[in-house]
Amino acid sequence: MREPSVPKTPVREPPYPTELKPYGRALVDLARRRDEVLCLSGDLTRQCEVDLFQSELPERFIHGGMAEANMMSMAGALARCGHIPFVHTFGVFATRRPFDQIANAIAYPALPVRIVGFMPGISTPGGPSHQATDDVALMRALPGMTVVDVADAVEVRQVVEAVVDVPGPVYIRLKRGEIPVIFDEGHVLRLGQAEVVVPGHDVALFASGMMLAVALAAARTLGEHEVSVSVISVPTIKPLDTATVLGAATGAQIVVTAENHSIIGGLGSAVAETIAEAGLGRPLRRVGLRDTFAEGSSTAPYLFGQYGLSTQALIETIWSTLGRPGPAPGAPPATAEPGEYAPV
C-alpha cells in the first residue's frame, strides 16, 4: 500500500486548536502602526470582532449602522481623503446588498477599501438571507478587486498586513467565532500565491477557506487507500496563481476544487477557466453548492453534509471520478473537545 502523502508545508493534525477573535486583535495591532487605517462597522460590531477596535481606538471607529450601501459610499469617500478603511459586516450584507455602491464608489475609482465579510457560505445556519454563497462570484467579477479566502487563524492574523498596501479594493472572507489553527506558526500568507500543502500525483485538489481542513482530511483518508492527493491551498482567488494551478493540474489525473460557495463563479470557475485556456485536458469536479440556495438549520455542520461539502462527500467525488472499484472509503468521525475544531 502506498504511504499517505506527507505535508510539504507543516500543518497540524486534527482536531485543531482554536483561537478566538484573531482578526480583531490583528486589526488593532495594524492600526496602532498605521494612522491611516480606519474601522467601519455595519451594526455588527461584536459579531465581526471589531468591538476590540471600538474599545481601543474609538476615534478611528465609525458606526455605519444597518445601511451597508451608505457605509460603502462613506468608505470610498474616506479612501479618497487618504485613509485606508476596513469595512465590516456579514459577507452577504457586504457584497450582495451594496453591490452597486461597491462597483461605483470603490471599484471603479480603484480605491484602497478593504471589505471584510464574515460568515462565508453555509458557515451560518441562518438561511439564504444570511448565507454568502455568491459573494466570491460577485466580487471576482468587479475589475481590479482582489478576493481573499483564508483558511485558519495563522492566515487570519496575517491577512490585514498582507492587504493593507494593495493598490485597489480587496474583499476578504472570514469565518466567525473560534478559528482553527491548521498551519504551524512558521507559515507565511503570500497574497496572490497558492501553495501545495500536501504533494501528490493522482489528484490535484484545490481548496479555499474553510474547505482546506476538509480537503486535508479527505487526502489523509484517500492516501490510506492508495490514492495520492495533492492538496493546494488557494487563499487568493483573484488574482489566481495560475502558474501553481497549472503546475499541479498538469501532474495529476483529475482536478477537484472545494469551496464553501456556489460552484458558479468562485474557485471552481477560476480553476476551470485557467486549465481550459491553457488547453489542459483533465477531468474536473467542483465541490460546492450546486446552483441552489441553502436552507436554515440548527447547526452549520449539518449544512456541510446536506449540500455535499463534507469530508465524506469529497472522498466519494474523488473516488468515483478516478473510477476506483467498490464503495469509497469512509471518513473518520469528526470528534473535537470544547475549544477544538474538526473538519465535518
Side-chain angles (χ1 to χ4, degrees), residues 103-183:
N104 287 294
I106 295 172
Y108 177 57
L111 294 170
V113 175
R114 286 67 179 103
I115 302 167
V116 186
F118 282 77
M119 297 205 311
I122 52 174
S123 64
T124 169
S129 66
H130 281 62
Q131 291 164 338
T133 57
D134 52 10
D135 55 331
V136 172
L138 291 170
M139 294 297 99
R140 186 171 161 256
L142 287 172
M145 179 71 74
T146 296
V147 180
V148 181
D149 191 7
V150 291
D152 84 325
V154 175
E155 291 191 334
V156 169
R157 282 189 252 116
Q158 297 178 22
V159 71
V160 290
E161 188 77 51
V163 304
V164 68
D165 290 317
V166 171
V170 179
Y171 176 62
I172 306 169
R173 302 179 107 208
L174 291 181
K175 181 183 181 298
R176 177 185 167 198
E178 295 183 341
I179 313 301
V181 182
I182 299 173
F183 292 107

Side-chain angles (χ1 to χ4, degrees), residues 35-252:
D35 291 341
E36 67 271 38
V37 169
L38 301 179
C39 175
L40 281 71
S41 170
D43 202 36
L44 290 166
T45 300
R46 178 182 56 80
Q47 294 87 341
C48 294
E49 303 185 12
V50 291
D51 52 330
L52 304 178
F53 196 110
Q54 182 183 31
S55 175
E56 299 195 29
L57 297 166
E59 71 282 3
R60 284 193 271 156
F61 177 86
I62 298 170
H63 205 311
M66 280 180 75
E68 292 85 0
N70 184 61
M71 182 169 64
M72 296 300 173
S73 295
M74 276 198 301
L78 290 164
R80 287 181 181 274
C81 296
H83 301 290
I84 302 178
F86 281 72
V87 186
H88 306 85
T89 184
F90 293 164
V92 68
F93 306 142
T95 56
R96 190 188 300 164
R97 183 175 292 174
F99 183 80
D100 189 59
Q101 284 72 23
I102 294 172
N104 287 294
I106 295 172
Y108 177 57
L111 294 170
V113 175
R114 286 67 179 103
I115 302 167
V116 186
F118 282 77
M119 297 205 311
I122 52 174
S123 64
T124 169
S129 66
H130 281 62
Q131 291 164 338
T133 57
D134 52 10
D135 55 331
V136 172
L138 291 170
M139 294 297 99
R140 186 171 161 256
L142 287 172
M145 179 71 74
T146 296
V147 180
V148 181
D149 191 7
V150 291
D152 84 325
V154 175
E155 291 191 334
V156 169
R157 282 189 252 116
Q158 297 178 22
V159 71
V160 290
E161 188 77 51
V163 304
V164 68
D165 290 317
V166 171
V170 179
Y171 176 62
I172 306 169
R173 302 179 107 208
L174 291 181
K175 181 183 181 298
R176 177 185 167 198
E178 295 183 341
I179 313 301
V181 182
I182 299 173
F183 292 107
D184 283 355
E185 292 302 319
H187 173 73
V188 177
L189 171 66
R190 294 180 174 85
L191 212 62
Q193 293 186 25
E195 185 171 8
V196 178
V197 180
V198 175
H201 52 78
D202 293 327
V203 183
L205 173 53
F206 298 93
S208 62
M210 292 181 66
M211 293 303 288
L212 180 62
V214 176
L216 289 169
R220 187 176 295 107
T221 296
L222 287 163
E224 295 168 353
H225 292 81
E226 301 189 41
V227 177
S228 175
V229 180
S230 177
V231 178
I232 303 96
S233 176
V234 189
T236 310
I237 301 173
K238 182 187 176 188
L240 187 67
D241 181 356
T242 56
T244 297
V245 168
L246 290 174
T250 299

Side-chain angles (χ1 to χ4, degrees), residues 241-324:
D241 181 356
T242 56
T244 297
V245 168
L246 290 174
T250 299
Q253 297 179 42
I254 67 169
V255 175
V256 180
T257 60
E259 58 192 312
N260 176 25
H261 184 270
S262 169
I263 61 170
I264 300 169
L267 175 64
S269 293
V271 170
E273 292 158 12
T274 297
I275 62 177
E277 288 177 354
L280 181 63
R282 294 291 184 278
L284 169 69
R285 298 294 182 270
R286 294 169 295 162
V287 172
L289 273 81
R290 307 196 69 83
D291 196 24
T292 183
F293 290 103
E295 61 192 26
S297 167
S298 60
T299 65
Y302 165 81
L303 294 174
F304 273 68
Q306 180 75 1
Y307 292 96
L309 276 67
S310 66
T311 301
Q312 186 61 45
L314 190 51
I315 290 170
E316 291 172 0
T317 296
I318 292 171
W319 192 263
S320 62
T321 305
L322 285 170
R324 296 298 171 98

